[in-house]
């Protein structure tokens, strides 16, 4: 019951403002933890100064994240670009913090905001780690919930090249139809027994009646950009003997040209 509720909730995109609130909350936690680490895993520091510094750190974090837009990414589709934005936001926050601390030391505006540079550096690295981890944890949580509460179609992807990886990415992002990629198949012997996103690359001769039944394979998606008609016919004939649904991904040039 709870899983179905969470899945239904996860189908809606999380508001960017909720993500921003979560990020700022993690910045607060990591700032306190940075003090804890700096003072040899103890709370032997001035709590009053910490409480004075926190609102300023929150303000700087809001400004940094808004300027970089690190909170605007869709969590379930977290990728390298989103992590780079997290890195930029954390770097900007650290830069602003150091700048204000140095200025405060010169003009001596408020002694309570004299944050040791070491704490800012520790806070910087903790921020990058915890903000990045939070995105991947939420993404993994969504994938776990969706896989456990919806029926899936087990498929094999024939082709472990660029086209096969694009097809795999497209299947993973399909929220309406759930596909579970069991394995990649490839003719290139140098790729055999390697993995793409934890999914094994196997040779065609490993596929037999026993393998199909054991893994409950339903479909085979052939995703190779340059394949001869004769080889394509051999592959389709081979899989037809197992009564599998066969689909062929057209070349990328066909997608672009609209055919």
């Amino acid at each position: 019951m709870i899983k179905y509720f969470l899945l239904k909730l996860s189908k809606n995109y999380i508001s960017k403002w909720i993500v921003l609130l979560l990020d700022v909350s993690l910045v607060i936690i990591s700032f306190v933890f940075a003090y804890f680490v700096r003072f040899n895993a103890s709370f032997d520091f001035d709590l009053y100064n910490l409480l004075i510094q926190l609102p300023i750190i929150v303000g700087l974090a809001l400004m940094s994240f808004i300027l970089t837009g690190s909170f605007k990414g869709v969590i379930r589709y977290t990728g390298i670009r989103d992590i780079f934005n997290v890195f930029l936001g954390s770097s900007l926050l650290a830069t602003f913090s150091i700048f204000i601390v140095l200025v405060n030391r010169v003009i001596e505006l408020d002694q309570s905001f004299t944050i040791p540079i070491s704490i800012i550096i520790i806070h910087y690295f903790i921020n990058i780690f915890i903000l990045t981890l939070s995105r991947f944890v939420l993404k993994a949580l969504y994938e776990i919930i969706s896989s456990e509460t919806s029926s899936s179609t087990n498929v094999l992807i024939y082709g472990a090249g660029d086209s096969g990886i694009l097809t795999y990415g497209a299947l993973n992002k399909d929220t309406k139809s759930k596909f579970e990629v069991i394995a990649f198949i490839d003719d290139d012997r140098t790729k055999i027994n390697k993995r793409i996103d934890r999914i094994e690359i196997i040779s065609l001769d490993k596929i037999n009646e026993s393998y199909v039944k054991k893994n409950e394979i339903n479909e085979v998606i052939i995703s190779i950009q340059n394949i001869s008609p004769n080889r394509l016919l051999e592959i389709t004939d081979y899989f037809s003997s197992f009564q599998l649904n066969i689909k062929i991904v057209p070349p990328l040039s066909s997608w672009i040209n609209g055919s």
Side-chain angles (χ1 to χ4, degrees):
M1 182 75 175
I2 296 177
K3 288 182 179 179
Y4 279 97
F5 172 76
L6 291 174
L7 180 61
K8 184 177 180 180
L9 184 64
S10 66
K11 287 181 179 179
N12 299 316
Y13 293 107
I14 300 176
S15 169
K16 61 183 180 181
W17 304 116
I18 294 178
V19 177
L20 178 61
L21 179 63
L22 175 63
D23 286 349
V24 173
S25 300
L26 292 175
V27 165
I28 294 173
I29 294 171
S30 62
F31 187 70
V32 175
F33 188 68
Y35 258 95
F36 181 74
V37 172
R38 171 63 178 78
F39 286 89
N40 302 318
S42 71
F43 291 100
D44 187 22
F45 52 81
D46 194 328
L47 183 60
Y48 174 78
N49 285 347
L50 175 64
L51 294 177
I52 293 295
Q53 295 160 9
L54 272 178
I56 300 175
I57 293 296
V58 168
L60 294 177
L62 284 170
M63 185 166 60
S64 301
F65 295 152
I66 289 173
L67 286 174
T68 58
S70 60
F71 61 99
K72 294 180 179 179
V74 180
I75 296 296
R76 75 175 70 164
Y77 301 139
T78 295
I80 299 299
R81 181 64 185 177
D82 299 296
I83 302 308
F84 180 71
N85 286 337
V86 166
F87 169 76
L88 284 181
S90 299
S91 299
L92 200 57
L93 170 58
T95 302
F96 285 153
S97 300
I98 292 175
F99 175 76
I100 289 181
V101 167
L102 293 179
V103 170
N104 185 60
R105 286 180 181 178
V106 173
I107 64 177
E108 296 183 352
L109 182 64
D110 189 349
Q111 283 296 116
S112 62
F113 196 72
T114 306
I115 307 174
I117 300 298
S118 59
I119 288 181
I120 296 177
I121 294 174
I122 294 171
H123 184 224
Y124 169 66
F125 286 110
I126 295 176
N127 269 339
I128 293 176
F129 174 76
I130 197 171
L131 291 175
T132 300
L133 181 63
S134 67
R135 278 157 170 75
F136 282 111
V137 166
L138 289 173
K139 180 182 178 180
L141 182 62
Y142 169 78
E143 291 177 353
I144 291 172
I145 293 173
S146 61
S147 64
E148 290 184 357
T149 56
S150 60
S151 58
S152 61
T153 301
N154 292 347
V155 302
L156 298 171
I157 295 179
Y158 201 109
D162 292 337
S163 180
I165 294 173
L166 283 173
T167 301
Y168 171 68
L171 294 179
N172 272 348
K173 293 178 180 179
D174 188 348
T175 57
K176 293 182 179 180
S177 302
K178 181 63 183 177
F179 292 94
E180 183 72 24
V181 179
I182 303 301
F184 287 92
I185 307 170
D186 205 277
D187 295 329
D188 187 349
R189 291 291 171 180
T190 61
K191 296 180 181 180
I192 304 302
N193 296 325
K194 295 182 179 179
R195 293 179 181 271
I196 297 175
D197 195 21
R198 305 183 306 276
I199 298 176
E200 188 179 12
I201 304 173
I202 60 177
S203 59
L204 181 61
D205 54 25
K206 189 174 180 179
I207 306 299
N208 52 37
E209 192 72 34
S210 175
Y211 184 91
V212 170
K213 289 183 178 179
K214 178 183 177 182
N215 293 281
E216 300 179 345
I217 307 297
N218 306 111
E219 293 184 2
V220 176
I221 300 176
I222 301 174
S223 184
I224 304 176
Q225 291 292 300
N226 300 309
I227 184 171
S228 66
N230 290 336
R231 181 55 179 163
L232 182 60
L233 184 61
E234 291 175 2
I235 295 172
T236 53
D237 285 344
Y238 185 84
F239 286 117
S240 295
S241 62
F242 304 123
Q243 297 180 340
L244 296 176
N245 187 18
I246 301 172
K247 296 179 179 178
I248 301 174
V249 177
L252 185 59
S253 57
S254 298
W255 303 7
I256 297 173
N257 294 332
S259 57

